[in-house]
Structure formats: C-alpha cells, structure tokens
Amino acid sequence: MSSAAGTPPEGGGDRPWQSYHTAYTNAKAGMEGVDREKVQKVIYEMSKGSKYFENEQRKETLTKQKIEHLRAQCATLTDNDISHFQKVAEKKMLELEASRDLSKIWLHTDMDAFYAAVETLNDPSLKGKPLAVGSMSMIATASYEARKFGVRAAMPGFIGCKLCPGLVFVRPNFERYTHYSELTRKVFQRYDPNFIATSLDEAYLNITNVCIERGITGEEVATELRAAIHQETGLTCSAGVAPNRMIAKVCSDINKPNGQFILPNDREAVLTFVSTLPIRKIGGIGKVTEQMLCQVLGISTCQEMLQKAAFLCALFSECSADFFLSVGLGLGGTETPEQRQRKSISCERTFAATNDSSLLFEKLANLTENLTDDLQKEGLKGKTLTLKLKTADFEVRTRAVTARGYINSKEDILIYATKLLKAEMPLSLRLMGKWQDNGPISVTTKDGYLVPDAGTGASTYQQDFFVHDESIFISEQRNLVNYSNEAVLNDPVISDGLGGAKLDDVTPSAKVMNTEKLDNLGQLTSHEATASRSKPGQQLWIDGYICSICRFELPPGFEEERQEHSDFHLAESLQQEETTDSKRPISNERYLYFDMPSQINCFLLPFQVTS
Ligand code: DCP
Ligand code: CA
Ligand code: CA
C-alpha cells in the first residue's frame, strides 16, 4: 500500500538498544535535552537477559505481528473497498463535526513533579537536587533536575542511579501527597464545584460559568487558579485551557513546569493545533497504537488521522475508528460525566514469593475473608468468580467459575476460589516486589444487589462507582474452556485483562475481515471490566472506557495503554501500602526488580443484575 511507511530500522547488529523501547525510554516533560541514545543504551544493558527484558521482547514481537497482520489486511483492500470506506469515513466525520461543542471552556491542571515537589517543600535541603521519589525497585517520579539525566517515573531506581550517579532517593509518603492534593481540591472547588479529579495531582474543571459570571477569560482563570494553588500549597502546577477535556490535557503539558497554554474556542484554532500534534500526545494513544498507526498507515500527527480516515474505518473497529477520527478533528469530552452507582468491589494482597501451595491457599483464604467483609458491609453479592494469575514470565492467565446463585459468604466464595486455584497447581510464584508486576491476590465482585450509595453527592474524586453492561461479560464456559496460555501467545493480538478469552465483536460494522473477533488494536470491542487494584479503590473500565479511579478515558482495547494505566494505579496503591504499613519490613528482596513479577487476582464478575 502506498501510504504504508517502510519497516523501521531494526536495532540489530552492534546497536541493539536502539530498538529497545520501554515505558521508561519515553520522554516526559523536562526530558527534552536528554541524550536519548545513552539512556536507551543504559536501560538496555541493565535489563537484557532479565524476565522483564524477555517480556518486553515478547510484547515487541506481538506488536510486530499486529503490524504485519494489519499490513496484510491493508494489502487486501481493493479500490472499491477504499472508496466504500472513504464514504463511511466521510459520513462519520460529518456526524462528529456536527457534535462539536465550542460553548464550554475546560481547564486541565496538573501539579509539577508532584511527589518530588511535595518532598522538597517538606525538606528544603532537597531543592535543586536530582531527586527520585521511590525505591531501588521503582521510581514514582523524578525532579526536573533528575529528568535531565533521563530519570523518570516507572523506572527502576537502580537504573536511575546508573543514569544519574548523584540521584537522591526519598521514600514516598502518601499521606503527605493526599494532604496537598486536598488543598488543591479546595481551590478547584471554588472554580468548579463539579471538578473531575483524575489523580491526586490532576483535575479537569469546567470553567465556563466562572468565565461568564466574572466576565473573565480562560487565560485569566488559569493564571488566577495557579496563583491560588501556589499561595495555598507552596507548589506549582501547570494548566491548559481548551474547548474540551482531551485538548485541555494536551495543553497543560505544553508549558510545563509552572506554565499554561490556552487554546481559544475556535474551530480553526483547534484544527490548526491538532494539525501538527503528534498522536502520542493524546491520552489513549500509547506506544503500540502509535507504532501501528505510524508503521502501517504513516500516521504520526492527529490531522493525518483524517487523511487516512478510510483506512482507519476499514481496519479498525467502529469504536476505535470513531476515536481516531475525533482525535483528528480535535474533539473531546465537553459534558461533565454523570456520577455512577457503585457496582463492584475487590481486594488484593501483596505477598512474598512462594511455590508453597499451602501458603498460596492461605493467602487466597485471607483475601476471601477481606472480600467477604467488604461485601457484607456494602450489601453486595456476586456470582462469577474470576481468578487472574500473573506468572513469573509475565503471562496472564484468567480462570472463572460461576456459582449457582449469588454468594457473599466466606465459605461459599472460598469453595469456588479454591477450585480455581487448585486447577492451576503446581504454580510457582515469586516475590512480587515491583509495583507494575506486583503480586496481589484480589477478589472482586460486582452485582446488582448493591445498596444504593447515599454518597452520590460527594465530590467527584471520591467516587468509585461502576456500571457494567453485564450482557457482554464472557461466560464462564468460554473463559474456562477456550482460554489457554498458548492461545494468547500464538495470537497476533494481545489479550485483555480478562485473560485472553475472546469476545465477539459487539460493534456491528462492515469489516475487511468480518470473521475477526478482536479489533486490530488487540481490542475486545466490547464494554468490559479489565483490571483490579487493591483497596481503597478498584480500577475497572466504566462503560468500557472510563477508568473508575481517575475518570481517564481510554477506549476499549488500548490494552497496552490500559496496562500502563492500571500499573500506575497499582503503583499508587502499593506506595500507599508501603507508607502506611510500617510493620512490614522492607526486605532486600523487595528491591529485586526483574525477577519477581507474579500476580494473582481474583474477581467476581457480575453474572446477572437483579432489579
Ligand atoms: N506517579 C507514580 N508512578 C508513575 C507516574 C506517576 O507513582 N508511573 C506519581 C508520582 C507523580 C504523580 O503520580 O509525582 C503525578 O504524576 P505525573 O505523571 O503528573 O508526574 P509529575 O507530577 O511527577 O511530573 P510532571 O507532571 O511535572 O511531569
Ligand atoms: Ca503532574
Ligand atoms: Ca498528573
């Protein structure tokens, strides 16, 4: 196909690190001047041969397969197909354009080097030093001074040390961050009582009313709000103002740190803005999607999405194509999402490495007990229990079973949970010390038995309500019978958090290969819940695309991005555990990074919602 970009240079030969891209070889704000090649080389040298490395290579292979698969599909497109999909795309773009709402002014704010800034405020002697908040196993964030060396969030601390020998480490203190976060939210409240907090350090504010009522511009609001935050916290933040949330978020990163960027509510301005905007800047477009779009269709800017609209419609699910086209048009959320009623609950545990089955069963029992407590407290019952395992080789397995009726007693849940775990034995699990690959057992249940939550009027950031379309959950039969690790490995597409069980494409659309069950993004093109996290929150994808913890919108199937996103929340919760669990000694083993990825999760998925 003429538009396909050539195969990228292979990183073989004597420069193998060049093709080694991980989460931490990506640039964040403040990393512009970094010697990328040096950073990549250090990371490559330090991680090669490790399980982590192997997994990265496995993912890379899968990505390549996906790309090949897409190219092959592209090659089968006839001129007729292309003109058909061109029409489909044009119709879609017209519809999307008609939905454009330029009447709202959104502000996105994001604290600068948040944890590091809080730590520096707490200990001014850290000022100006290259600082990493975290441990040898994981860095939560780095100060801008450290970023110049390539040190960044999600990077193991020992790699950070190698890149920046004078790197100072501070252990995270979640209570402190929560305190400062609350101070910022008091300020947000004054500008938009329904502000949407998407993490401790980030929020979206609909400032339309403030602008109208006070007769001031979005720019003035941003300046004032940032000054107020500084005044009340001693910390700096950056802000972006735009007609929708998607663009506002991109804008807040432009003049980071301690800066702001305003995009006027003007269609031309928006289109000009996205015309050169790299797709990777868009929340929801991660490494894999970027590579696929670039290497198959030659798309690297948002505007190019429109030029390749026919191909996007031909090759991707309707849902993904819609998303890509709205990115190309610079469209994003403008209404404040309604609060949802909570419909799920889960718990997770971190435990030390073991292949001792009795210990694993003991952990399972503990978790079941925790879950039971939570269930009973909340008046919940569930029906389908799913056990998710992450092995030492980073493989994710999912097993599910459905009870005869709704259950919430420890005895009942344990019977099913034990049955699932037993079927997996013998199982060798290692210490879960690295945040992304931490090894909790979690048990989640969701169902319609929920006692209505009285707190729906609570501020948005406190909510963790889930709504699931139960009709699209995989049945336990398919999950149990069809799934195997080979299925995941042999498949050119990556499985989702439900362990590779395949769902039918619920989005009816004319496809080049209409027998495809999965989207070309490896997506399950359905609404689903895909992840779990430890208390106090549980991460799920509301309506299949909104993160239940932070409201971040990621359309179904952006699995890589979702995984990174879930890892982020897992990291948050583990840090919280680390800070609050003073009794638990930090063993040396916890610093092992590459050789301890294992995980067991258990979910109880809703089977049927009763009225
Ligand atoms: N965080 C984390 N793990 C990650 C990313 C972030 O624990 N992988 C934590 C630490 C950060 C905070 O979340 O301080 C906010 O994350 P940001 O991505 O907003 O990064 P920073 O605020 O640190 O830096 P900046 O926004 O200035 O780039
Ligand atoms: Ca931030
Ligand atoms: Ca942030």
Side-chain angles (χ1 to χ4, degrees):
M1 204 194 75
S2 60
S3 63
T7 313
E10 289 298 324
D14 57 350
R15 298 164 78 82
W17 65 86
Q18 282 189 316
S19 64
Y20 191 54
H21 304 283
T22 74
Y24 36 88
T25 47
N26 287 322
K28 281 196 53 105
M31 292 176 72
E32 294 76 18
V34 170
D35 181 347
R36 284 191 66 134
E37 186 163 313
K38 184 185 157 206
V39 171
Q40 236 170 332
K41 196 173 166 186
V42 168
I43 294 169
Y44 175 80
E45 289 300 332
M46 293 194 77
S47 56
K48 83 181 162 192
S50 69
K51 290 269 191 251
Y52 177 85
F53 184 82
E54 281 168 22
N55 189 55
E56 287 298 309
Q57 287 185 318
R58 198 165 61 93
K59 289 199 296 194
E60 190 84 356
T61 307
L62 285 172
T63 306
K64 279 194 186 136
Q65 285 174 358
K66 281 191 195 178
I67 288 170
E68 285 316 313
H69 175 72
L70 262 186
R71 282 196 176 134
Q73 274 189 284
C74 229
T76 66
L77 290 177
T78 62
D79 287 350
N80 272 348
D81 290 333
I82 296 170
S83 66
H84 164 75
F85 284 108
Q86 183 62 35
K87 284 190 199 114
V88 171
E90 277 163 20
K91 184 164 170 273
K92 179 49 74 183
M93 287 190 281
L94 280 177
E95 278 168 30
L96 288 169
E97 187 55 57
S99 74
R100 190 186 294 277
D101 175 6
L102 289 167
S103 68
K104 308 279 182 343
I105 306 174
W106 281 92
L107 181 149
H108 179 258
T109 164
D110 185 293
M111 304 301 291
D112 302 321
F114 185 47
Y115 295 2
V118 170
E119 295 305 334
T120 307
L121 201 60
N122 183 59
D123 175 3
S125 75
L126 296 170
K127 206 171 170 162
K129 291 189 180 149
L131 173 68
V133 179
S135 66
M136 283 299 148
S137 59
M138 194 273 294
I139 293 175
T141 196
S143 65
Y144 278 76
E145 288 81 357
R147 290 182 199 190
K148 289 181 198 143
F149 295 86
V151 181
R152 55 153 288 162
M155 177 182 275
F158 61 83
I159 290 184
C161 286
K162 178 86 179 174
L163 291 170
C164 174
L167 190 62
V168 180
F169 278 83
V170 179
R171 303 290 292 182
N173 182 334
F174 243 82
E175 259 165 53
R176 219 174 260 157
Y177 313 140
T178 309
H179 167 75
Y180 282 98
S181 177
E182 274 160 15
L183 295 181
T184 65
R185 286 166 186 188
K186 285 195 179 123
V187 177
F188 301 156
Q189 185 85 30
R190 306 209 290 259
Y191 293 87
D192 175 12
N194 300 315
F195 70 89
I196 307 165
T198 47
S199 73
L200 281 185
D201 86 323
E202 234 172 272
Y204 293 93
L205 284 73
N206 180 345
I207 55 168
T208 320
N209 287 343
V210 174
C211 290
I212 295 170
E213 281 161 18
R214 294 179 49 199
I216 54 175
T217 63
E219 178 164 17
E220 285 164 329
V221 173
T223 308
E224 195 184 292
L225 178 130
R226 290 178 42 244
I229 285 178
H230 188 248
Q231 171 86 33
E232 274 156 62
T233 63
L235 301 166
T236 64
C237 69
S238 300
V241 175
N244 64 59
R245 290 194 294 275
M246 184 192 78
I247 307 272
K249 180 159 166 80
V250 176
C251 290
S252 71
D253 204 50
I254 292 178
N255 287 319
K256 215 167 212 322
N258 200 14
Q260 61 188 49
F261 184 88
I262 317 300
L263 191 69
N265 284 38
D266 174 84
R267 183 175 174 271
E268 285 313 306
V270 171
L271 293 180
T272 306
F273 182 77
V274 292
S275 69
T276 53
L277 188 66
I279 52 173
R280 187 61 194 271
K281 294 277 178 193
I282 302 294
I285 300 188
K287 191 176 67 179
V288 172
T289 308
E290 181 193 32
Q291 280 183 32
M292 286 203 297
L293 292 176
C294 182
Q295 294 182 25
V296 179
L297 298 174
I299 296 174
S300 53
T301 67
C302 296
Q303 196 184 45
E304 283 159 358
M305 298 272 199
L306 303 184
Q307 290 157 13
K308 298 289 157 63
F311 292 98
L312 293 171
C313 291
L315 299 173
F316 295 95
S317 73
E318 195 176 336
C319 181
S320 302
D322 284 4
F323 172 70
F324 292 142
L325 296 182
S326 41
V327 164
L329 290 165
L331 298 171
T334 55
E335 299 298 333
T336 301
E338 274 174 40
Q339 293 189 355
R340 310 280 182 158
Q341 198 184 38
R342 175 177 172 141
K343 285 206 174 182
S344 88
I345 194 159
S346 76
C347 58
E348 296 182 347
R349 260 304 141 75
T350 304
F351 55 89
T354 182
N355 56 4
D356 176 348
S357 59
S358 60
L359 201 63
L360 286 173
F361 282 112
E362 196 184 310
K363 302 287 174 198
L364 194 69
N366 290 344
L367 270 164
T368 306
E369 196 164 328
N370 284 344
L371 178 79
T372 311
D373 288 349
D374 290 351
L375 281 170
Q376 292 175 354
K377 247 184 256 157
E378 308 240 4
L380 280 165
K381 288 185 176 187
K383 208 170 175 187
T384 302
L385 177 77
T386 305
L387 174 72
K388 186 175 165 188
L389 309 163
K390 197 167 186 180
T391 71
D393 299 330
F394 287 86
E395 278 167 27
V396 179
R397 305 184 201 170
T398 312
R399 302 289 185 268
V401 65
T402 299
R404 288 222 173 84
Y406 282 101
I407 52 172
N408 73 349
S409 75
K410 186 188 167 186
E411 295 70 33
D412 286 345
I413 295 173
L414 198 54
I415 289 169
Y416 291 103
T418 306
K419 205 165 138 184
L420 291 173
L421 188 55
K422 232 179 212 163
E424 298 307 304
M425 293 299 182
L427 190 67
S428 174
L429 295 174
R430 300 170 185 232
L431 175 74
M432 300 62 152
K434 186 201 148 227
W435 62 272
Q436 285 149 308
D437 306 295
N438 221 309
I441 292 181
S442 82
V443 189
T444 309
T445 182
K446 307 165 208 83
D447 80 346
Y449 263 73
L450 193 68
V451 174
D453 195 308
T456 43
S459 51
T460 43
Y461 60 86
Q462 285 168 335
Q463 66 190 359
D464 52 353
F465 312 124
F466 312 119
V467 170
H468 302 289
D469 180 352
E470 45 100 55
S471 63
I472 50 76
F473 280 103
I474 41 178
S475 79
E476 77 287 6
Q477 278 307 331
R478 296 172 82 181
N479 205 10
L480 284 170
V481 177
N482 290 354
Y483 175 73
S484 76
N485 284 327
E486 277 128 65
V488 175
L489 291 173
N490 295 339
D491 209 296
V493 289
I494 295 173
S495 68
D496 80 317
L498 292 172
K502 293 176 183 179
L503 297 180
D504 289 325
D505 187 335
V506 295
T507 318
S509 62
K511 283 279 157 359
V512 176
M513 293 169 75
N514 55 13
T515 50
E516 284 270 29
K517 296 266 178 164
L518 297 186
D519 190 350
N520 281 320
L521 290 169
Q523 298 176 359
L524 295 167
T525 48
S526 59
H527 299 229
E528 71 216 29
T530 59
S532 74
R533 76 178 289 244
S534 59
K535 288 200 287 187
Q538 304 87 35
Q539 194 215 359
L540 292 164
W541 298 101
I542 300 167
D543 287 349
Y545 74 102
I546 303 167
C547 171
S548 56
I549 297 171
C550 72
R551 309 268 131 191
F552 187 72
E553 294 169 14
L554 263 174
F558 289 76
E559 293 312 323
E560 176 98 0
E561 296 73 25
R562 285 184 174 210
Q563 191 54 54
E564 269 182 22
H565 191 79
S566 304
D567 286 348
F568 170 76
H569 287 306
L570 183 60
E572 264 186 342
S573 64
L574 290 171
Q575 282 161 22
Q576 196 160 19
E577 264 174 36
E578 254 180 42
T579 355
T580 50
D581 188 357
S582 53
K583 276 178 275 169
R584 196 172 61 201
I586 308 290
S587 78
N588 286 338
E589 289 169 304
R590 290 182 61 78
Y591 294 119
L592 294 173
Y593 169 68
F594 292 121
D595 291 316
M596 58 180 99
S598 307
Q599 182 170 323
I600 298 185
N601 288 319
C602 255
F603 305 91
L604 258 177
L605 295 178
F607 186 69
Q608 166 191 327
V609 176
T610 56
S611 55

